[in-house]
Structures are given as structure tokens and as C-alpha cells.
Amino acid sequence: MNVKRIAVVASILCIVGGTVGGCTNAASDNKSATKTDTYTATNTGSQSQDSNQNVKLRSVGVTVGDLSNPFFVVMGKGAEAEAKKIGGNNVKVAIVSSGYDLNQQTNQIENFVAADTDLIILNASDSKGIRPAIDKARQAGKIVIAVDTGVDAEVDATVTTNNLQAGEVACKYIADRLKAKGNVVIVNGPPVTSVIQRVEGCQKVLAKYPNIKILSKDQNAEGSRDGGLRVMSDLLTTFPKIDAVFAINDPSGVGVDLAANQAKRKEFFIVGVDGAPEAIQAIASNDSLYAATATQNPRGMTQKAVQVGNDILHGKKPANPTILIPVKLITKENVSTSEGW
């Protein structure tokens, strides 16, 4: 059966069933989220707090990029846990994967609207292309919170990692370790704001070092291990000498590491973004080329998104609709301090 057809059917079942269990295969994880940036909620002018005090959060729909990526699984768990904390076990939570397919994600949002979902949490597959679906959802009176990546549309709030900072700290580490001289490859990803900002931050830093040459920056590894393996295998064939690789996320970075092992190339090191368990394990290992990762807080992002969405449902808007969560660079020197997801 066509994979996309299966995904669409699964998304509908998730909405009807109102549980996350049918949407992910991951085991439960009871780790608490680390703290994220705080925000101040203010009453809206059109709706008073009194008129909304009896409103209850009934349902949450979450659409993410790829549920084969543990990062997005953790995001789903964070949203579900916070929704149940706020509204009790009767709150329905549907978590679906777009597979970075714009049409599929559009259908998922339409399904959320048709199911009269109170709050839609969106990890966009295409920051610009998803705009019509967002506009229709908000016209239908639905609250839409963008997470992990911004969108080129009006949403109620956006909760993301400081992705520009992630690219900056990752590539500052590269520049410092290379002592301002060498050949760097950027393994790029899907055309979403978070990825664009990470690459922008990286290039901004590396531009300060005239003796650092970026050999490649446009190859889309689709944010996956298989994509990282594919793209890096080609780049290793093209370039005989690479000193460092910046991967826009850890799954693609792990794919880069696999490609290096297969090609028996060990002259470079890898820096990623996410703080994924497999990347942390690789950094701690003496056998991996993985050197560092700029950590994110996927659980905290969606927990914050549900909190903000619930406040808006009760007539309180955040004072600042854009909430940025800072990153921390994990290296071999401080990997033992990583709390993980």
C-alpha cells in the first residue's frame, strides 16, 4: 500500500480515536522537561477572562515532520503530557506525521478542523506552502501554534529553539577547532524556517574566517539518517579533503558518520543540532567522528505550546507571541553533563 495513503488514514484514525497510542510506536518516557523561556499572558481586548473561565481544553492536534525521528516522538509526548495535565485524561490528543509532504500536512490540518479540534500544534513541512491551510484553520476559529520552526503565515504563537543561535554556536565550535582554516561541508535539510536559520547562523560565523572554505551548502539530506548517508556519500566522492561537517540536525549527522565509516574517511569531524540520544552517545564514544551538537528541548517546546494555546483559549494572549528557547553546545568535554530528552 502507498505509504502516504497509510499516513493519511492513520491521521484520520488518530483524530477519531483521540489517542496518541496509535500514532507512535515509542515506549513511554517519564522524564520531566527542562525549563524553557517564560512568557507573560495578557487578557485579550475582545474576550474577557470571565467570559472564558468555563472554557475547557477538549482536544489537541499535533502534526510533525517525521515520527521516525525520535525528536518528533518526544515532541508528541510533551504535547500529550501537558494536555492531560491541563485538561485531564478526557482530553483527546492526535499526533500525526506529515513525512515532510505538504499536501499530506494540509490534509491533516483540514482533518483537525473537521474534528473540531481546539488547538492545532504545527511543525511545518514547508514554512511558506502551509500558509493556506493555516489561514483556513484560523478562519474556522482554531488556535494554531507553530513549534520548532516558524511559518510564513499569521499564527497565534510560535515556540521554537533559537535556531539562529544553534547554527552560530555549532559553527563557532567548528571555526575554533579548525583554528580558522579548512574545508567545511554543510549538510542542509528541508526548506523550513528552522533549517534556514541554522544554516544562516552557521554561514554568518564562518564568513568571518577568510581561510575557511564552504565546499557545499545546498544538498538537502531531508533531515534523516538515510538522507545524510546519501548526501555525504556523494560529497565524499566529490571532495577529496573535508575538515568539518555541519549537519542541520542529528539524524542527518549520524548518516554523515555512517557514510564516513563506509568510505573509510576519518579526516573530518561532525557537528549537528538536536541533542539526540544517538548523537550524545556518538559524542561520548571514541570511535565516532561526531564532535558536538547544539541541544534542543523538544518536550519543552510542545509543553510550552500547549500552555500558551490553553491561555489563548481562555482569552489570554502571550505578551510576546514568539518564544525562543536557547541552546547549549554539547561536546566531548561536557557530554557527561547532558540531561538528554
Side-chain angles (χ1 to χ4, degrees), residues 127-128 149 163-164 188-203 248:
S127 294
K128 294 183 178 180
T149 186
N163 288 293
L164 189 68
N188 217 313
V192 294
T193 303
S194 58
V195 172
I196 293 168
Q197 289 177 342
R198 291 172 199 176
V199 174
E200 180 184 344
C202 177
Q203 290 182 283
I248 57 89

Side-chain angles (χ1 to χ4, degrees), residues 196-215:
I196 293 168
Q197 289 177 342
R198 291 172 199 176
V199 174
E200 180 184 344
C202 177
Q203 290 182 283
K204 178 181 176 182
V205 168
L206 296 186
K208 299 176 182 179
Y209 302 92
N211 292 323
I212 290 181
K213 182 179 180 181
I214 298 177
L215 301 176

Side-chain angles (χ1 to χ4, degrees), residues 111-183:
N111 289 336
F112 289 151
V113 173
D116 197 23
T117 304
D118 294 326
L119 170 60
I120 298 173
I121 295 178
L122 167 68
N123 168 247
S125 60
D126 185 319
S127 294
K128 294 183 178 180
I130 201 63
R131 178 172 182 168
I134 294 172
D135 290 346
K136 288 180 180 179
R138 297 191 78 239
Q139 287 167 8
K142 303 307 171 187
I143 299 168
V144 181
I145 309 289
V147 294
D148 186 47
T149 186
V151 292
D152 186 16
E154 186 175 347
V155 290
D156 293 277
T158 301
V159 184
T160 73
T161 297
N162 189 332
N163 288 293
L164 189 68
Q165 180 195 35
E168 289 173 344
V169 299
C171 289
K172 182 64 167 63
Y173 174 87
I174 289 175
D176 289 345
R177 180 160 169 171
L178 291 179
K179 297 182 179 179
K181 184 177 181 180
N183 295 327

Side-chain angles (χ1 to χ4, degrees), residues 204-240:
K204 178 181 176 182
V205 168
L206 296 186
K208 299 176 182 179
Y209 302 92
N211 292 323
I212 290 181
K213 182 179 180 181
I214 298 177
L215 301 176
S216 173
K217 62 179 181 179
D218 298 320
Q219 295 299 308
N220 182 359
E222 300 173 345
S224 69
R225 180 189 297 217
D226 289 345
L229 174 61
R230 170 181 53 79
V231 166
M232 196 62 197
S233 295
D234 291 342
L235 292 173
L236 289 171
T237 300
T238 304
F239 301 110

